[in-house]
Amino acid sequence: MHARPRPRLAGVSAPLRITVIGTGYLGATHAAAMAESGYDVLGVDVDADKIAALARGEVPFYEPGLSELLESNVTAGRLRFTTDFAEAADFGDLHFIGVGTPQHPRTNAADLSQVEAAIGSLAPLLTRPCTVIGKSTVPVGTAENVRTRLQALAPAGADVDLVWNPEFLREGFAVADTLTPDRIVIGVATPSGPGEPRGRDEEVMRRVYAPMIEWGSPFLVMDYATSELVKVAANSFLATKISFINAMAEVCEATGADVTRLAEAIGYDERIGSKFLRAGIGFGGGCLPKDIRAFMARAGELGVSDALSFLRDVDGINTRRRTSTVALARELVGGRFVGKRIAVLGAAFKPDSDDVRDSPALDIAAAIYTAGGDVIVHDPQAMANARAAYPKMTYAADIREALTGADLVLVLTEWPEYTGLDPATVAALPTTPSILDGRNCLDIARWRAAGWTYRGLGRPNA
Ligand code: UDX
């Protein structure tokens, strides 16, 4: 999975001591990667259970390769964990902030309370020069405010630098994306002009990321606002690309065309590219949906709503994929879910993750359940999170149990366990061998040859 080579440790001189505040998907991975790069690292979180698990070398979520990385660095003594901010302030030359910025339930804006709490806890304890590095995804303008507050609260005052350093890791590839990033983006208060010497903050960041720079990651220094925008612009572009191909899928559905062939053909144009053109039930997860909504909310505050009005359509197309998939499932079981058993394969928002935040798969399963369907869900990794979100739905111990007696099978997350199924072997399990491929990830010819009624999204009916 990790195609890119790991960075070498050459280029790191005196040991820097690093804290990483927030130990979720982002922070835990970053802490382990920094330790792997040779630094002494202290992970900090307000959640004592999470910290206790991490200190034992256990990752409290599913991320391929992270357990091994964490365990080896905890064992080597380079990586420790605490809930104590005083210990963190005393320890760190650098403090990374990797806490969550979830969607605010009322306004759709980013909820910055965890960033504010982290700064509020740390800053009054900073008595010597250090650098605080924000990694959380925040609305443009946040870094400037955080810097003012940080320097006002810290006894060390202006000797505390603030850098904004957005994180672009993907779940499922978090380890590789952190050790060998596509690019490193650094936002500083006063970027140096051409020919001017580098600022202290830039020098520090070049030293921290020396292994990654040596590996070949481009290192880009810019002002705070641009660095904050890079992150939300990148996620908006990715979301737009997915919604574009899903809009094409809607047109294909109305015309009998095949969106997978269309995507293949346009993807050969290098200007378009074939990645992120997989049509299906759309995007979910802890980033893309909430980031585009927070970006729209921020644009409204800045008086530039019109510039991002297209994101409303991007979000709308994405939401429509879920409702139209539920409608298609209803049609396939004869117009009513009541009395019908629906097997849902996949609950995570994508494979190689146990994350069900804003998961299209789980959302569709729950909508069918609410409409009266007898829904049975299976996922190789996300069962515990799915059950916690929807305790009343039924969960299958294995794929066979899910398929047995089903009137319709939905494949909603393209785990290899599902794409690798032999349709002939499992054809006798359901009451009706009917499958709706919500990720266009199955071989139509094989499934049809094995006697299944196959429906994809944006693909011809027969
Ligand atoms: C995303 C960004 O990719 C990453 O750079 C950023 O740091 C965080 O947000 P992630 O949320 O891990 O990462 O998932 P990603 O791989 O981008 O997929 C997002 C969603 O889009 C998934 O639900 C996935 O199934 C869906 N998707 C992706 C499609 O529906 N079609 C595609 O072609 C690609």
Side-chain angles (χ1 to χ4, degrees):
M1 166 174 298
H2 304 138
R4 293 180 284 184
R6 302 250 298 260
R8 281 164 286 136
L9 301 182
V12 182
S13 51
L16 281 169
R17 302 207 304 180
I18 289 176
T19 78
V20 180
I21 297 168
T23 57
Y25 290 94
L26 189 172
T29 311
H30 190 68
M34 288 287 103
E36 180 72 5
S37 301
Y39 304 114
D40 280 335
V41 180
L42 185 62
V44 188
D45 205 292
V46 292
D47 183 337
D49 290 340
K50 205 192 273 181
I51 285 296
L54 289 164
R56 292 193 300 271
E58 294 166 16
V59 181
F61 50 85
Y62 180 72
E63 181 60 50
L66 183 55
S67 297
E68 294 84 341
L69 195 72
L70 185 94
E71 204 182 337
S72 66
N73 282 288
V74 167
T75 306
R78 283 191 297 268
L79 179 56
R80 294 184 300 112
F81 292 91
T82 187
T83 55
D84 183 355
F85 275 84
E87 187 186 350
D90 185 51
F91 177 86
D93 304 305
L94 300 168
H95 303 282
F96 283 93
I97 311 283
V99 296
T101 52
Q103 182 175 323
H104 192 286
R106 269 186 298 105
T107 62
N108 278 359
D111 176 353
L112 294 178
S113 56
Q114 293 179 47
V115 174
E116 281 159 12
I119 296 296
S121 301
L122 180 70
L125 304 166
L126 299 175
T127 52
R128 63 186 164 91
C130 61
T131 306
V132 174
I133 303 137
K135 286 197 86 63
S136 306
T137 302
V138 293
V140 58
T142 303
E144 197 65 57
N145 295 336
V146 167
R147 179 170 182 264
T148 305
R149 182 155 174 252
L150 189 62
Q151 296 189 341
L153 291 176
D159 283 337
V160 179
D161 279 331
L162 178 78
V163 169
W164 215 264
N165 169 217
E167 178 56 59
F168 303 100
L169 68 79
R170 297 160 296 170
E171 288 179 26
F173 299 90
V175 171
D177 285 351
T178 307
L179 287 172
T180 52
D182 284 341
R183 72 289 208 193
I184 299 162
V185 170
I186 301 295
V188 298
T190 320
S192 40
E196 286 175 10
R198 290 173 188 156
R200 182 178 66 174
D201 37 13
E202 180 183 339
E203 287 294 358
V204 169
M205 296 315 291
R206 281 187 181 276
R207 202 168 134 206
V208 175
Y209 286 120
M212 290 75 177
I213 296 169
E214 193 180 323
W215 174 78
S217 299
F219 185 85
L220 306 165
V221 182
M222 56 196 72
D223 58 273
Y224 284 151
T226 308
S227 72
E228 292 165 320
L229 282 172
V230 168
K231 173 65 197 240
V232 283
N235 275 358
S236 297
F237 191 86
L238 294 172
T240 302
K241 212 170 169 192
I242 299 168
S243 276
F244 170 81
I245 201 64
N246 280 331
M248 294 305 110
E250 288 188 13
V251 179
C252 286
E253 278 156 15
T255 54
D258 185 335
V259 74
T260 63
R261 302 309 311 277
L262 183 149
E264 181 189 355
I266 64 173
Y268 281 117
D269 184 332
E270 282 183 5
R271 296 167 303 174
I272 296 172
S274 58
K275 289 181 181 161
F276 269 64
L277 279 184
R278 295 190 315 274
I281 59 172
F283 59 82
C287 293
L288 260 44
K290 68 113 177 152
D291 285 354
I292 62 168
R293 291 172 199 149
F295 198 15
M296 283 187 274
R298 184 65 183 132
E301 290 167 5
L302 294 167
V304 287
S305 299
D306 287 354
L308 298 188
S309 60
F310 73 97
L311 286 179
R312 205 161 299 286
D313 287 331
V314 167
D315 200 11
I317 292 164
N318 196 51
T319 309
R320 208 155 61 227
R321 295 316 283 166
R322 301 182 189 189
T323 47
S324 61
T325 302
V326 173
L328 178 56
R330 185 184 280 114
E331 182 193 315
L332 293 176
V333 294
R336 270 165 66 82
F337 287 122
V338 176
K340 300 292 181 184
R341 188 165 179 85
I342 317 290
V344 172
L345 300 183
F349 83 105
K350 67 173 190 179
D352 278 326
S353 172
D354 64 356
D355 197 345
V356 299
R357 286 177 293 172
D358 210 339
S359 167
L362 197 55
D363 210 17
I364 289 166
I368 296 174
Y369 172 78
T370 306
D374 174 13
V375 176
I376 180 158
V377 178
H378 178 269
D379 190 284
Q381 292 294 337
M383 295 289 258
N385 287 339
R387 195 179 268 120
Y390 294 100
K392 288 190 181 151
M393 281 198 300
T394 307
Y395 295 90
D398 54 39
I399 300 175
R400 285 187 81 82
E401 186 191 335
L403 298 189
T404 302
D407 295 294
L408 174 66
V409 179
L410 269 57
V411 176
L412 299 184
T413 312
E414 66 276 36
W415 285 98
E417 284 85 340
Y418 308 146
T419 56
L421 277 175
D422 176 9
T425 311
V426 293
L429 296 176
T431 303
T432 318
S434 172
I435 193 152
L436 197 175
D437 180 1
R439 294 292 185 178
N440 291 327
C441 60
L442 304 175
D443 182 336
I444 301 186
R446 272 188 79 211
W447 284 78
R448 286 191 176 147
W452 288 76
T453 306
Y454 173 99
R455 281 297 285 270
L457 297 182
R459 308 181 83 176
N461 192 354

